[in-house]
Amino acid sequence: QQQVRQSPQSLTVWEGETAILNCSYENSAFDYFPWYQQFPGEGPALLIAIRSVSDKKEDGRFTIFFNKREKKLSLHITDSQPGDSATYFCAASPTGGNNKLTFGQGTVLSVIP
Amino acid sequence: GPKVLQIPSHQIIDMGQMVTLNCDPVSNHLYFYWYKQILGQQMEFLVNFYNGKVMEKSKLFKDQFSVERPDGSYFTLKIQPTALEDSAVYFCASSLAHNAETLYFGSGTRLTVL
């Protein structure tokens, strides 16, 4: 059973466009949702995170929109740059989860100059 | 930023052999983790470790698996004996605190069991 699902599997956008990466989850106990960015040959690195008490979290060009009722969230990357080309993982954990993150399968983003 | 180092980056062994994956966590971090990623699938939690003890482990953490961090050296994942289904990329991570804190991941060790 896949508790965290991501779509699309891959996404290609032109430089300057907004990339939208989607994530949904099943476990109502999840309340912390980090997004990790991974470049080839490197480990995942925390990009931005949101807690379920919020419906939006912004950090520069990266924004998470969160819908608790529908158990969905999305990562918006505005003014996409070629350097944003990477795999993005949505993850989730419950309160007191001891950092036991449940990951989605990832979205591979390609930004064309 | 803080770095977690994993050694080796690739390891190929025969089924039934023992393998030890090494992780050098961020120096002041206290909590350590192993995650497993089979090719084409999502990364899955294996185990977390604090103060010399396993805090929690998943059902993927089979009896053949063990972790330790002797005297503040490498945090290790040992698999003995290995099985074909252990082939995966193993990611080590560390954090300063245990709850919803940033995890810092290494670049992974790709283990191939023949």
Side-chain angles (χ1 to χ4, degrees):
Chain A
Q1 184 187 12
Q2 198 171 330
Q3 292 202 48
V4 176
R5 297 178 191 270
Q6 290 186 246
S7 64
Q9 272 191 304
S10 63
L11 176 65
T12 300
V13 299
W14 294 100
E15 183 176 353
E17 290 186 331
T18 296
I20 299 175
L21 289 67
N22 300 303
C23 179
S24 63
Y25 63 97
E26 298 176 4
N27 189 343
S28 299
F30 288 155
D31 74 342
Y32 174 67
F33 303 89
W35 285 83
Y36 280 82
Q37 179 188 56
Q38 185 179 28
F39 296 107
E42 298 182 12
L46 180 67
L47 181 66
I48 186 173
I50 193 168
R51 292 192 174 275
S52 59
V53 293
S54 302
D55 57 14
K56 182 180 175 182
K57 178 75 176 290
E58 197 168 348
D59 184 357
R61 297 185 294 108
F62 302 92
T63 303
I64 300 174
F65 293 92
F66 179 72
N67 185 323
K68 188 172 183 177
R69 184 179 60 83
E70 294 187 7
K71 296 186 186 150
K72 291 181 179 178
L73 57 158
S74 60
L75 174 67
H76 291 225
I77 306 174
T78 57
D79 187 25
S80 297
Q81 301 296 308
D84 297 331
S85 297
T87 301
Y88 292 81
F89 293 98
C90 172
S93 75
T95 304
N98 287 329
N99 280 323
K100 182 183 172 184
L101 295 173
T102 299
F103 281 87
Q105 286 189 297
T107 293
V108 179
L109 174 66
S110 299
V111 181
I112 302 173
Chain B
K3 293 285 189 187
V4 173
L5 300 176
Q6 288 190 243
I7 304 163
S9 57
H10 293 86
Q11 179 103 32
I12 300 174
I13 60 170
D14 291 322
M15 183 176 62
Q17 283 189 317
M18 181 195 77
V19 68
T20 300
L21 307 184
N22 297 299
C23 172
D24 188 10
V26 178
S27 61
N28 61 336
H29 284 186
L30 303 174
Y31 295 82
F32 313 109
Y33 314 81
W34 285 102
Y35 282 77
K36 175 183 179 181
Q37 185 177 35
I38 293 174
L39 187 64
Q41 299 184 21
Q42 69 267 40
M43 202 154 37
E44 294 188 270
F45 171 84
L46 280 178
V47 66
N48 52 17
F49 187 86
Y50 167 73
N51 197 26
K53 298 175 191 169
V54 169
M55 291 197 300
E56 186 175 1
K57 57 187 179 182
S58 73
K59 57 188 175 186
L60 295 179
F61 194 80
K62 305 181 297 184
D63 291 343
Q64 297 90 329
F65 288 26
S66 63
V67 291
E68 63 176 356
R69 193 186 186 211
D71 299 324
S73 60
Y74 286 147
F75 175 51
T76 63
L77 173 65
K78 184 185 293 185
I79 309 175
Q80 181 179 26
T82 51
L84 294 177
E85 60 264 27
D86 296 332
S87 294
V89 179
Y90 291 84
F91 290 95
C92 172
S94 68
S95 68
L96 194 53
H98 72 94
N99 188 25
E101 271 286 331
T102 303
L103 291 191
Y104 292 86
F105 283 88
S107 54
T109 293
R110 181 176 298 279
L111 175 65
T112 301
V113 181
L114 303 176

